[in-house]
PDB file of all heavy atoms in Angstrom:
ATOM      1  N   PHE B  60      -9.117   4.017   3.706  1.00 98.00           N
ATOM      2  CA  PHE B  60      -7.974   4.785   3.270  1.00 98.00           C
ATOM      3  C   PHE B  60      -6.987   5.073   4.429  1.00 98.00           C
ATOM      4  O   PHE B  60      -5.832   4.769   4.315  1.00 98.00           O
ATOM      5  CB  PHE B  60      -8.425   6.098   2.628  1.00 98.00           C
ATOM      6  CG  PHE B  60      -8.677   5.985   1.144  1.00 98.00           C
ATOM      7  CD1 PHE B  60      -9.257   4.864   0.568  1.00 98.00           C
ATOM      8  CD2 PHE B  60      -8.311   7.034   0.257  1.00 98.00           C
ATOM      9  CE1 PHE B  60      -9.470   4.764  -0.792  1.00 98.00           C
ATOM     10  CE2 PHE B  60      -8.521   6.934  -1.106  1.00 98.00           C
ATOM     11  CZ  PHE B  60      -9.106   5.820  -1.630  1.00 98.00           C
ATOM     12  N   ASN B  89      -5.391   8.837   2.005  1.00 98.00           N
ATOM     13  CA  ASN B  89      -4.993   7.446   1.738  1.00 98.00           C
ATOM     14  C   ASN B  89      -3.627   7.200   2.398  1.00 98.00           C
ATOM     15  O   ASN B  89      -2.616   7.165   1.741  1.00 98.00           O
ATOM     16  CB  ASN B  89      -4.940   7.222   0.231  1.00 98.00           C
ATOM     17  CG  ASN B  89      -4.956   5.755  -0.107  1.00 98.00           C
ATOM     18  OD1 ASN B  89      -4.933   4.903   0.785  1.00 98.00           O
ATOM     19  ND2 ASN B  89      -4.989   5.427  -1.376  1.00 98.00           N
ATOM     20  N   TRP B  92      -0.286   4.259   7.025  1.00 97.00           N
ATOM     21  CA  TRP B  92       0.879   4.359   7.900  1.00 97.00           C
ATOM     22  C   TRP B  92       0.686   5.504   8.899  1.00 97.00           C
ATOM     23  O   TRP B  92       1.013   5.374  10.076  1.00 97.00           O
ATOM     24  CB  TRP B  92       2.123   4.576   7.074  1.00 97.00           C
ATOM     25  CG  TRP B  92       3.422   4.268   7.756  1.00 97.00           C
ATOM     26  CD1 TRP B  92       3.557   3.663   8.975  1.00 97.00           C
ATOM     27  CD2 TRP B  92       4.711   4.517   7.283  1.00 97.00           C
ATOM     28  NE1 TRP B  92       4.906   3.514   9.257  1.00 97.00           N
ATOM     29  CE2 TRP B  92       5.614   4.037   8.241  1.00 97.00           C
ATOM     30  CE3 TRP B  92       5.216   5.093   6.101  1.00 97.00           C
ATOM     31  CZ2 TRP B  92       7.006   4.141   8.047  1.00 97.00           C
ATOM     32  CZ3 TRP B  92       6.598   5.160   5.955  1.00 97.00           C
ATOM     33  CH2 TRP B  92       7.465   4.702   6.907  1.00 97.00           C
ATOM     34  N   ARG B  97      -1.400  12.686   9.067  1.00 97.00           N
ATOM     35  CA  ARG B  97      -0.339  13.510   8.472  1.00 97.00           C
ATOM     36  C   ARG B  97      -0.940  14.400   7.392  1.00 97.00           C
ATOM     37  O   ARG B  97      -1.771  13.945   6.608  1.00 97.00           O
ATOM     38  CB  ARG B  97       0.744  12.613   7.897  1.00 97.00           C
ATOM     39  CG  ARG B  97       1.365  11.675   8.959  1.00 97.00           C
ATOM     40  CD  ARG B  97       2.561  10.916   8.388  1.00 97.00           C
ATOM     41  NE  ARG B  97       2.188  10.077   7.266  1.00 97.00           N
ATOM     42  CZ  ARG B  97       3.039   9.379   6.549  1.00 97.00           C
ATOM     43  NH1 ARG B  97       4.342   9.403   6.854  1.00 97.00           N
ATOM     44  NH2 ARG B  97       2.627   8.629   5.537  1.00 97.00           N
ATOM     45  N   ARG B  98      -0.511  15.624   7.338  1.00 97.00           N
ATOM     46  CA  ARG B  98      -0.971  16.524   6.291  1.00 97.00           C
ATOM     47  C   ARG B  98      -0.228  16.172   4.985  1.00 97.00           C
ATOM     48  O   ARG B  98       1.000  16.210   4.962  1.00 97.00           O
ATOM     49  CB  ARG B  98      -0.731  17.978   6.666  1.00 97.00           C
ATOM     50  CG  ARG B  98      -1.556  18.432   7.854  1.00 97.00           C
ATOM     51  CD  ARG B  98      -1.471  19.912   8.126  1.00 97.00           C
ATOM     52  NE  ARG B  98      -2.486  20.272   9.146  1.00 97.00           N
ATOM     53  CZ  ARG B  98      -3.164  21.397   9.202  1.00 97.00           C
ATOM     54  NH1 ARG B  98      -2.955  22.318   8.269  1.00 97.00           N
ATOM     55  NH2 ARG B  98      -4.064  21.604  10.140  1.00 97.00           N
ATOM     56  N   ILE B  99      -0.980  15.848   3.962  1.00 98.00           N
ATOM     57  CA  ILE B  99      -0.362  15.508   2.688  1.00 98.00           C
ATOM     58  C   ILE B  99      -0.694  16.639   1.734  1.00 98.00           C
ATOM     59  O   ILE B  99      -1.853  16.883   1.418  1.00 98.00           O
ATOM     60  CB  ILE B  99      -0.876  14.171   2.160  1.00 98.00           C
ATOM     61  CG1 ILE B  99      -0.581  13.063   3.185  1.00 98.00           C
ATOM     62  CG2 ILE B  99      -0.247  13.854   0.813  1.00 98.00           C
ATOM     63  CD1 ILE B  99      -0.953  11.669   2.750  1.00 98.00           C
ATOM     64  N   VAL B 100       0.385  17.315   1.313  1.00 97.00           N
ATOM     65  CA  VAL B 100       0.204  18.577   0.551  1.00 97.00           C
ATOM     66  C   VAL B 100       0.683  18.332  -0.868  1.00 97.00           C
ATOM     67  O   VAL B 100       1.827  17.923  -1.083  1.00 97.00           O
ATOM     68  CB  VAL B 100       1.012  19.714   1.220  1.00 97.00           C
ATOM     69  CG1 VAL B 100       0.803  21.011   0.456  1.00 97.00           C
ATOM     70  CG2 VAL B 100       0.581  19.871   2.674  1.00 97.00           C
ATOM     71  N   ASP B 102      -1.928  17.521  -3.573  1.00 97.00           N
ATOM     72  CA  ASP B 102      -3.076  17.199  -4.415  1.00 97.00           C
ATOM     73  C   ASP B 102      -3.943  18.423  -4.588  1.00 97.00           C
ATOM     74  O   ASP B 102      -4.098  19.206  -3.665  1.00 97.00           O
ATOM     75  CB  ASP B 102      -3.924  16.099  -3.736  1.00 97.00           C
ATOM     76  CG  ASP B 102      -3.182  14.787  -3.618  1.00 97.00           C
ATOM     77  OD1 ASP B 102      -2.491  14.432  -4.577  1.00 97.00           O
ATOM     78  OD2 ASP B 102      -3.262  14.160  -2.549  1.00 97.00           O
ATOM     79  N   SER B 110     -11.162  11.545  -4.339  1.00 98.00           N
ATOM     80  CA  SER B 110     -10.822  10.466  -3.405  1.00 98.00           C
ATOM     81  C   SER B 110     -11.885  10.363  -2.291  1.00 98.00           C
ATOM     82  O   SER B 110     -12.079   9.298  -1.716  1.00 98.00           O
ATOM     83  CB  SER B 110      -9.400  10.673  -2.830  1.00 98.00           C
ATOM     84  OG  SER B 110      -9.412  11.631  -1.816  1.00 98.00           O
TER      85      SER B 110
ATOM     86  N   ASN C  76       7.240   7.464   1.558  1.00 98.00           N
ATOM     87  CA  ASN C  76       6.536   6.219   1.235  1.00 98.00           C
ATOM     88  C   ASN C  76       5.196   6.573   0.604  1.00 98.00           C
ATOM     89  O   ASN C  76       4.142   6.476   1.250  1.00 98.00           O
ATOM     90  CB  ASN C  76       6.343   5.411   2.532  1.00 98.00           C
ATOM     91  CG  ASN C  76       6.027   3.966   2.229  1.00 98.00           C
ATOM     92  OD1 ASN C  76       5.841   3.583   1.081  1.00 98.00           O
ATOM     93  ND2 ASN C  76       5.951   3.140   3.264  1.00 98.00           N
ATOM     94  N   TRP C  79       1.507   6.593  -4.639  1.00 97.00           N
ATOM     95  CA  TRP C  79       0.449   7.309  -5.346  1.00 97.00           C
ATOM     96  C   TRP C  79       0.919   8.683  -5.793  1.00 97.00           C
ATOM     97  O   TRP C  79       0.621   9.138  -6.899  1.00 97.00           O
ATOM     98  CB  TRP C  79      -0.777   7.420  -4.424  1.00 97.00           C
ATOM     99  CG  TRP C  79      -2.062   7.693  -5.138  1.00 97.00           C
ATOM    100  CD1 TRP C  79      -2.286   7.699  -6.501  1.00 97.00           C
ATOM    101  CD2 TRP C  79      -3.328   7.978  -4.525  1.00 97.00           C
ATOM    102  NE1 TRP C  79      -3.613   7.980  -6.747  1.00 97.00           N
ATOM    103  CE2 TRP C  79      -4.271   8.147  -5.590  1.00 97.00           C
ATOM    104  CE3 TRP C  79      -3.739   8.128  -3.218  1.00 97.00           C
ATOM    105  CZ2 TRP C  79      -5.599   8.464  -5.320  1.00 97.00           C
ATOM    106  CZ3 TRP C  79      -5.078   8.417  -2.980  1.00 97.00           C
ATOM    107  CH2 TRP C  79      -6.003   8.583  -4.020  1.00 97.00           C
ATOM    108  N   ARG C  84       4.554  14.648  -3.080  1.00 97.00           N
ATOM    109  CA  ARG C  84       3.664  15.379  -2.168  1.00 97.00           C
ATOM    110  C   ARG C  84       4.393  15.572  -0.853  1.00 97.00           C
ATOM    111  O   ARG C  84       5.089  14.675  -0.346  1.00 97.00           O
ATOM    112  CB  ARG C  84       2.377  14.577  -1.946  1.00 97.00           C
ATOM    113  CG  ARG C  84       1.640  14.326  -3.263  1.00 97.00           C
ATOM    114  CD  ARG C  84       0.277  13.655  -3.027  1.00 97.00           C
ATOM    115  NE  ARG C  84       0.407  12.379  -2.341  1.00 97.00           N
ATOM    116  CZ  ARG C  84      -0.639  11.675  -1.949  1.00 97.00           C
ATOM    117  NH1 ARG C  84      -1.870  12.119  -2.164  1.00 97.00           N
ATOM    118  NH2 ARG C  84      -0.474  10.531  -1.334  1.00 97.00           N
ATOM    119  N   ARG C  85       4.249  16.734  -0.250  1.00 97.00           N
ATOM    120  CA  ARG C  85       4.850  16.976   1.041  1.00 97.00           C
ATOM    121  C   ARG C  85       3.987  16.330   2.114  1.00 97.00           C
ATOM    122  O   ARG C  85       2.799  16.595   2.217  1.00 97.00           O
ATOM    123  CB  ARG C  85       4.930  18.489   1.332  1.00 97.00           C
ATOM    124  CG  ARG C  85       5.917  19.190   0.341  1.00 97.00           C
ATOM    125  CD  ARG C  85       6.154  20.627   0.723  1.00 97.00           C
ATOM    126  NE  ARG C  85       7.241  21.158  -0.113  1.00 97.00           N
ATOM    127  CZ  ARG C  85       8.179  22.008   0.286  1.00 97.00           C
ATOM    128  NH1 ARG C  85       8.127  22.485   1.515  1.00 97.00           N
ATOM    129  NH2 ARG C  85       9.130  22.380  -0.531  1.00 97.00           N
ATOM    130  N   ILE C  86       4.569  15.445   2.877  1.00 98.00           N
ATOM    131  CA  ILE C  86       3.868  14.748   3.917  1.00 98.00           C
ATOM    132  C   ILE C  86       4.360  15.299   5.243  1.00 98.00           C
ATOM    133  O   ILE C  86       5.539  15.130   5.596  1.00 98.00           O
ATOM    134  CB  ILE C  86       4.048  13.224   3.818  1.00 98.00           C
ATOM    135  CG1 ILE C  86       3.567  12.742   2.446  1.00 98.00           C
ATOM    136  CG2 ILE C  86       3.294  12.519   4.947  1.00 98.00           C
ATOM    137  CD1 ILE C  86       3.623  11.244   2.249  1.00 98.00           C
ATOM    138  N   VAL C  87       3.467  15.966   5.964  1.00 97.00           N
ATOM    139  CA  VAL C  87       3.864  16.704   7.151  1.00 97.00           C
ATOM    140  C   VAL C  87       3.255  16.026   8.383  1.00 97.00           C
ATOM    141  O   VAL C  87       2.057  15.798   8.438  1.00 97.00           O
ATOM    142  CB  VAL C  87       3.388  18.159   7.043  1.00 97.00           C
ATOM    143  CG1 VAL C  87       3.819  18.964   8.278  1.00 97.00           C
ATOM    144  CG2 VAL C  87       3.888  18.803   5.760  1.00 97.00           C
ATOM    145  N   ASP C  89       5.498  13.603  10.385  1.00 97.00           N
ATOM    146  CA  ASP C  89       6.496  12.715  10.948  1.00 97.00           C
ATOM    147  C   ASP C  89       7.616  13.539  11.585  1.00 97.00           C
ATOM    148  O   ASP C  89       7.991  14.575  11.073  1.00 97.00           O
ATOM    149  CB  ASP C  89       7.106  11.850   9.832  1.00 97.00           C
ATOM    150  CG  ASP C  89       6.091  10.881   9.231  1.00 97.00           C
ATOM    151  OD1 ASP C  89       5.331  10.316   9.988  1.00 97.00           O
ATOM    152  OD2 ASP C  89       6.106  10.767   7.997  1.00 97.00           O
ATOM    153  N   SER C  97      13.136   5.966   8.172  1.00 98.00           N
ATOM    154  CA  SER C  97      12.630   5.489   6.896  1.00 98.00           C
ATOM    155  C   SER C  97      13.677   5.614   5.775  1.00 98.00           C
ATOM    156  O   SER C  97      13.672   4.850   4.801  1.00 98.00           O
ATOM    157  CB  SER C  97      11.332   6.219   6.513  1.00 98.00           C
ATOM    158  OG  SER C  97      11.608   7.493   6.005  1.00 98.00           O
TER     159      SER C  97
END
Side-chain angles (χ1 to χ4, degrees):
Chain B
F60 270 39
N89 197 356
W92 199 9
R97 302 187 299 176
R98 294 189 171 215
I99 302 184
V100 182
D102 295 318
S110 80
Chain C
N76 197 355
W79 199 8
R84 302 186 302 175
R85 293 187 172 218
I86 302 184
V87 181
D89 295 318
S97 79

